[in-house]
Amino acid sequence: MDLDDAMSRPPFFLVIGACLVGLASCGAPGTGSSSGDLQVDLSEALAPFQVLNLTTGAMTGRLQISDLQTNDDYRANLMVFRLVPGGTAITGTAAGQFGELVDPNRSQNPSQPFYCGVFEVTQGQWQLLAASGTPWTSVVSVPAGEFGSTTTSAKYPAFGLSKDLLATTLASYNSGKAHTVAMPTKAQWEHACRAGTTTPFSWGSDPDSRTDASPFAVVRETAAGQKGPRQVGERLPNAFGLYDMHGNVWELVHEGLETTIRGGSWRDPLSLCRSAYGVTVDRATPHGLVGVRLVLIP
């Protein structure tokens, strides 16, 4: 499935609404529901969490995940997506706020709910998505030590990515599957990152406040001189339960023909990691600071 086609499909929640109108044709007992119980099916479909098994392609709805921090499977063969609520999505920077001269102007737009990856895609997950290839290994070796040799581990974020590489990888992985994964749009990413805030960062602090940023973000000011990203999910999540939205690695986002990276990295100053800031990059060129977080399209 083409990425643009996937992103243009009707929101999952509109499909569910249509199902509720026509029970007989949308999973009532004996008419094609996976469980034969419409209430159970809808409960799983609208659950706060969706867990995708990258090996089998099976997806399971969960009301809660109590072992998210301790179960390494969620950073390896399983990928956890969390429901980001809809409503009014705030993007851009307001007049008089730090970054107003370079960020898009503040705007508010309606947003449909969607499922966003709790973690950045890890190296272990990438190897299941791509079936082969470890782009971060060549980045780490040139020049030697530049990106931290200890960061080539399954639970660390995949990096050294480009949009072309990612698009090819996702097209191959999604082929023939009932559920697809994709890059978020710019609006989806910022809505997920802000988690309802209007301040430069999701924790609401001044751009130069290292103390406020340290619990949430791995950036130049909080990295303590250590090169390379950290294991995903080491810091605190934002109010939507999403980890490393600021710092660690830049995250690729999708918007038509434009390729943008958002969120900053371990090597960047905190001021570049704010919610509204993005950098347009060449789609074919991999970079050692760039990874990705995926969204789920049921």
Side-chain angles (χ1 to χ4, degrees):
M1 175 181 293
D2 182 80
L3 179 62
D4 291 319
D5 290 340
M7 295 307 296
S8 65
R9 290 167 58 181
F12 184 46
F13 293 84
L14 297 184
V15 177
I16 289 298
C19 291
L20 291 173
V21 173
L23 298 182
S25 62
C26 250
T31 62
S33 169
S34 59
S35 68
D37 187 326
L38 180 61
Q39 184 175 1
V40 171
D41 288 341
L42 290 177
S43 176
E44 290 186 355
L46 299 172
F49 296 93
Q50 297 290 339
V51 180
L52 178 63
N53 187 312
L54 294 172
T55 303
T56 67
M59 187 174 72
T60 306
R62 303 272 188 88
L63 294 178
Q64 60 181 0
I65 301 179
S66 59
D67 59 345
L68 185 63
Q69 287 285 4
T70 58
N71 188 341
D72 286 345
D73 285 346
Y74 298 130
R75 295 166 176 80
N77 61 304
L78 302 179
M79 187 173 288
V80 179
F81 297 86
R82 186 153 189 170
L83 184 63
V84 173
T88 300
I90 296 172
T91 58
T93 297
Q97 197 173 68
F98 181 81
E100 67 165 315
L101 297 181
V102 294
D103 297 341
N105 294 332
R106 172 64 50 83
S107 64
Q108 300 184 40
N109 297 287
S111 174
Q112 293 290 339
F114 64 95
Y115 283 100
C116 183
V118 168
F119 301 127
E120 294 163 328
V121 173
T122 68
Q123 294 169 25
Q125 291 168 337
W126 176 266
Q127 292 182 69
L128 292 176
L129 287 168
S132 63
T134 55
W136 51 88
T137 55
S138 59
V139 169
V140 167
S141 62
V142 183
E146 182 72 14
F147 294 94
S149 59
T150 60
T151 59
T152 54
S153 175
K155 294 186 287 186
Y156 286 77
F159 57 95
L161 306 185
S162 69
K163 183 178 180 180
D164 282 351
L165 174 61
L166 181 60
T168 300
T169 296
L170 295 184
S172 177
Y173 179 79
N174 287 330
S175 179
K177 292 186 172 62
H179 317 289
T180 62
V181 289
M183 282 178 277
T185 66
K186 290 193 295 184
Q188 284 178 325
W189 188 93
E190 188 168 341
H191 181 46
C193 179
R194 285 188 176 280
T197 63
T198 60
T199 48
F201 306 97
S202 60
W203 56 85
S205 77
D206 180 89
D208 295 320
S209 177
R210 181 185 308 185
T211 300
D212 288 348
S214 185
F216 297 93
V218 180
V219 295
R220 180 188 297 174
E221 292 90 338
T222 67
Q226 180 179 333
K227 294 182 179 180
R230 306 292 196 274
Q231 175 180 311
V232 300
E234 277 192 354
R235 305 291 169 110
L236 295 176
N238 67 13
F240 285 168
L242 308 175
Y243 295 80
D244 301 309
M245 294 297 300
H246 302 278
N248 217 27
V249 292
W250 288 93
E251 300 179 13
L252 284 160
V253 300
H254 166 73
E255 193 72 26
L257 298 177
E258 185 177 279
T259 303
T260 307
I261 52 176
R262 305 293 294 265
S265 78
W266 60 270
R267 197 178 184 185
D268 292 292
L270 180 58
S271 60
L272 298 188
C273 303
R274 59 189 183 274
S275 301
Y277 184 72
V279 179
T280 300
V281 296
D282 176 76
R283 62 176 296 149
T285 304
H287 196 286
L289 299 176
V290 174
V292 71
R293 179 187 310 267
L294 299 179
V295 296
L296 177 70
I297 304 174

